[in-house]
Structures are given as structure tokens and as C-alpha cells.
Amino acid sequence: MKRICLLITSLIITLAAAAQDFYVQCEDTCEHVHGIDLSHYQGNVFWNAIGENAKMAYVYLKATEGGDRIDDKFERNIQLAHQNRLKVGAYHFYRPRTPQETQLKNFMAQCRAEEQDLLPMIDVETTSGLSTEVFCDSLFKFLDLVEKAYNQKPLVYTGANFYDKHLLGKLDEYRIMIAQYTDFEPKLKDGRDITMWQYTGKGHIRGVNGYIDKSRFMGKHKLREIRFRH
């Protein structure tokens, strides 16, 4: 009986250690500035637990997509994120075939300037079947509209492979967040500077059930570089 009790105790300790390790990730082992982005896919999250996490300096929330899609968790998320003293920004998933003015109107209805701590971010992941030339013409018209609406250039999010294939040398005037889920830092073919790196789509954090996207600043880049100028 004593031996069984010792085995059970050992198992409990092992499981507890595993539970701790579950949340130990990059932000616990480096000195870069870290943050997360999330959307309705994470469901209702416990913002008080996220707010207590000193390693998380910022959060980007999905606001809109295309011309008429609104993330149904955005209003709740931005209110609770602010209540828990997080620096918050909103992002829009860009659809190249949808009229730019329609997309801007959709985004601005949710991404209200007075509620933003961080630059608006444009999520660029698809050409929607357009050629690179036509896609870029569509995208940069939209980026120009966003800049005029908010009086500052938006942050652009895209994948490393997508950038190298379609955006090489075209985003020099913009700060960029690059998604690359590897153990090594991304390097783009044109060698340009990367402001932020989304290093995993399968991160874990207390307050969120399931996976979450995590990112960090590269090199000496700091949070102040993406602050929304009011």
C-alpha cells in the first residue's frame, strides 16, 4: 500500500510539472517583447488571466474580414482587454477581389481610432486567384486608404513564403509582422528588416483554451514603434 501511495504521489508531481511546462514557451526563455493575436476561433477567453501575464505586452484582435464580415467576439474582446490593461490593436483580413472602399468602411466601423493603442494591422494571406501584379495593385490601393483614414501607415502581416513570392521589395515603407512557424528567425529574400515575428500558431497561454498565435519583436525593435498616434 505504501508503495502504491508513493507511485500515486510521484504521478501527481509529474502531471503537475507537465502542466507547468505546457505554458512554458519562448516568452519565458528570452528577453524579446511578446504578444498574441486572437479572434472568435478562441471563443470566450479569460482576460483577467491574460492581463496578469507580465510576459504579454500587446494583443491584436481580429475585427473584420473583406467587405462585410465582422468578428463576433471583437467588441467583447477589446473591452475586456482594455479593462485588463493590455495594449490593444485591431486587424482586418484583406480580400483582394472585394472593393477597397467597402473593406475600409467595414474595418473603420469596428476599428475606432479612439479605442486603439496600436497601429491597425492588415492581414495579407491570399491573392484570391489574382496575378501578383493585379493583387499588388489592389492591396496598395487599400493600404493607401487605410493610411489616409488613420493618418498613419498600417502594420502589414503576412507569411514569409507569401512575401517572397508576391511582395518582395514592395513593402519597404511599412512595418511588417512575418509569420513563420520554425525554430529559427525568418529571413526574407530581399533581406529587409522585420519588425515582428509570429513564431507559432500553436501557442498556449493561461486564459485561453486551445491554441493561440504568439509573436515577438525582432532584434532591437520595441512596442513604441507600433503605438497608435492619437
Side-chain angles (χ1 to χ4, degrees):
M1 179 63 72
K2 184 176 180 180
R3 185 177 180 181
I4 293 174
C5 289
L6 288 172
L7 286 172
I8 292 173
T9 301
S10 177
L11 178 60
I12 291 172
I13 292 172
T14 300
L15 290 173
Q20 286 293 108
D21 291 342
F22 184 75
Y23 292 103
V24 175
Q25 299 189 321
C26 178
E27 67 272 12
D28 297 296
T29 59
C30 78
E31 296 181 355
H32 296 100
V33 180
H34 289 260
I36 58 175
D37 66 81
L38 52 79
S39 67
H40 65 278
Y41 289 113
Q42 280 75 40
N44 289 329
V45 305
F46 296 95
W47 282 103
N48 57 332
I50 298 175
E52 291 169 357
N53 188 331
K55 298 289 185 178
M56 293 295 112
Y58 61 89
V59 56
Y60 266 101
L61 303 171
K62 184 176 183 180
T64 50
E65 178 175 338
D68 57 5
R69 295 186 185 180
I70 297 171
D71 192 287
D72 62 12
K73 298 296 183 184
F74 178 72
E75 284 294 342
R76 178 183 188 273
N77 283 337
I78 195 168
Q79 290 178 16
L80 293 179
H82 276 136
Q83 286 177 22
N84 286 279
R85 301 175 301 282
L86 287 157
K87 299 301 181 185
V88 188
Y91 76 90
H92 173 80
F93 190 99
Y94 185 65
R95 291 292 181 185
R97 289 183 179 271
T98 302
Q100 292 87 3
E101 293 81 1
T102 304
Q103 295 197 64
L104 179 66
K105 184 177 180 180
N106 187 29
F107 186 45
M108 290 188 70
Q110 303 303 314
C111 180
R112 294 177 285 273
E114 65 272 15
E115 296 178 344
Q116 306 305 305
D117 302 305
L118 309 176
L119 292 175
M121 184 167 74
I122 309 304
D123 185 342
V124 184
E125 300 185 39
T126 179
T127 65
S128 296
L130 301 175
S131 68
T132 295
E133 182 179 359
V134 175
F135 156 70
C136 286
D137 183 63
S138 169
L139 173 63
F140 285 100
K141 284 180 180 176
F142 182 67
L143 293 179
D144 285 344
L145 288 174
V146 173
E147 181 179 354
K148 290 174 182 176
Y150 292 100
N151 296 311
Q152 50 210 307
K153 289 184 180 296
L155 177 69
V156 178
Y157 166 96
T158 192
N161 292 334
F162 191 92
Y163 177 93
D164 285 341
K165 185 174 181 179
H166 301 289
L167 295 167
L168 205 65
K170 296 182 174 72
L171 286 173
D172 290 350
E173 296 181 7
Y174 295 86
R175 293 181 176 86
I176 56 174
M177 181 192 291
I178 293 293
Q180 179 175 288
Y181 303 156
T182 60
D183 292 332
F184 51 89
E185 294 184 351
K187 291 184 179 180
L188 302 174
K189 286 184 178 179
D190 58 7
R192 71 146 292 171
D193 181 60
I194 299 170
T195 305
M196 301 161 77
W197 170 29
Q198 187 183 89
Y199 56 86
T200 183
K202 292 187 175 182
H204 297 287
I205 188 172
R206 287 184 178 84
V208 178
N209 293 320
Y211 295 132
I212 193 167
D213 297 335
K214 289 186 173 183
S215 59
R216 69 167 174 82
F217 281 82
M218 294 278 282
K220 296 182 179 180
H221 289 292
K222 301 295 182 183
L223 187 65
R224 63 176 178 271
E225 297 175 35
I226 62 166
R227 288 286 181 92
F228 192 102
R229 299 190 308 274
H230 291 276

